[in-house]
Amino acid sequence: SQKIEQNSEALNIQEGKTATLTCNYTNYSPAYLQWYRQDPGRGPVFLLLIRENEKEKRKERLKVTFDTTLKQSLFHITASQPADSATYLCAPQGPRGNTPLVFGKGTRLSVIA
Amino acid sequence: SQTIHQWPATLVQPVGSPLSLECTVEGTSNPNLYWYRQAAGRGLQLLFYSVGIGQISSEVPQNLSASRPQDRQFILSSKKLLLSDSGFYLCAWRSPRQGLYGYTFGSGTRLTVV
């Protein structure tokens, strides 16, 4: 069965450092991969989508990579700030847009000032 | 602009009571609609999704059901709640015409079954 693993449940990092979150998937051949941010008591918010033929995608301080050989996506936040503290979810997606997203359990990031 | 409304925000219900959660989307037509549940300390679990009026796909067999009586309305129901139904229920939508685009989630309903 399809499986999504996000590297750790919690990650603590000092302000100003780069946070790196990992998303691994098995028994999947996603054409896209999405990343979301979820704050406590709120719904997830879409951040980035990367295609299988894109090695890297950037948005402001965010960078996502997608390695279909390793079956892995890395999510980087550079110059992290306490406001970046949240849970980050990955969701591999098949080529058909109507297929519902299945999410990883998420990594809770805490940026310490 | 498109918005999604979900209510109520919190709900405390006794075991065996019925449930009705409503989600509506504004500013778009024929959206794909989704219900997810997030139990305490766990990930998002897909419950139901719909690509059109009256079309419901169920991902997890349980005592919950969903209906889509109107294009932009998605309802999650139960006839008799169980303790295990407690959780954070999230509605989401996506436009199939926007190509590659993320989901937009509602603000969620925190359900506690007592």
Side-chain angles (χ1 to χ4, degrees):
Chain A
S1 62
Q2 297 168 338
K3 193 174 178 183
I4 306 166
E5 289 184 345
Q6 294 194 239
N7 56 329
S8 57
E9 284 193 15
L11 180 66
N12 297 326
I13 193 164
Q14 202 150 15
E15 183 177 8
K17 300 292 185 183
T18 296
T20 298
L21 284 63
T22 304
C23 175
N24 295 296
Y25 56 90
T26 55
N27 299 323
Y28 247 121
S29 295
Y32 319 103
L33 196 141
Q34 301 189 22
W35 283 89
Y36 289 75
R37 168 183 172 140
Q38 186 176 22
D39 290 288
R42 309 289 294 272
V45 174
F46 171 70
L47 295 175
L48 281 168
L49 179 150
I50 185 167
R51 296 172 171 80
E52 62 178 339
N53 61 354
E54 294 178 312
K55 296 299 181 188
E56 179 181 300
K57 195 151 189 180
R58 293 175 183 262
K59 179 182 175 182
E60 298 172 352
R61 293 184 295 111
L62 308 180
K63 184 179 85 170
V64 171
T65 63
F66 191 11
D67 189 325
T68 55
T69 302
L70 292 178
K71 295 186 180 292
Q72 182 182 80
S73 175
L74 299 179
F75 178 84
H76 306 273
I77 305 175
T78 58
S80 58
Q81 305 166 1
D84 296 326
S85 299
T87 296
Y88 292 87
L89 309 170
C90 72
Q93 184 178 16
R96 293 186 60 196
N98 280 344
T99 304
L101 287 181
V102 177
F103 290 83
K105 290 185 178 179
T107 296
R108 189 173 66 252
L109 174 68
S110 296
V111 181
I112 303 161
Chain B
S1 63
Q2 301 102 347
T3 56
I4 180 169
H5 301 280
Q6 198 179 335
W7 66 93
T10 59
L11 196 58
V12 179
Q13 292 283 98
V15 168
S17 64
L19 174 74
S20 181
L21 301 180
E22 189 163 342
C23 172
T24 59
V25 180
E26 294 179 357
T28 188
S29 60
N30 198 28
N32 291 352
L33 296 170
Y34 310 88
W35 278 112
Y36 287 85
R37 177 173 63 196
Q38 194 170 36
R42 303 186 67 177
L44 282 168
Q45 178 188 29
L46 177 67
L47 301 176
F48 301 94
Y49 68 98
S50 171
V51 298
I53 296 174
Q55 300 178 60
I56 309 294
S57 296
S58 172
E59 290 295 304
V60 182
Q62 54 202 331
N63 67 321
L64 299 173
S65 62
S67 62
R68 185 169 176 172
Q70 299 180 46
D71 181 44
R72 290 167 290 176
Q73 185 184 32
F74 205 21
I75 298 172
L76 182 70
S77 304
S78 174
K79 292 182 179 177
K80 286 186 178 182
L81 284 168
L82 307 172
L83 285 173
S84 58
D85 292 324
S86 293
F88 190 44
Y89 287 81
L90 288 157
C91 179
W93 77 274
R94 173 188 170 273
S95 171
R97 293 175 303 282
Q98 284 184 333
L100 299 176
Y101 211 76
Y103 288 10
T104 300
F105 282 84
S107 53
T109 296
R110 175 78 56 192
L111 171 67
T112 304
V113 182
V114 296

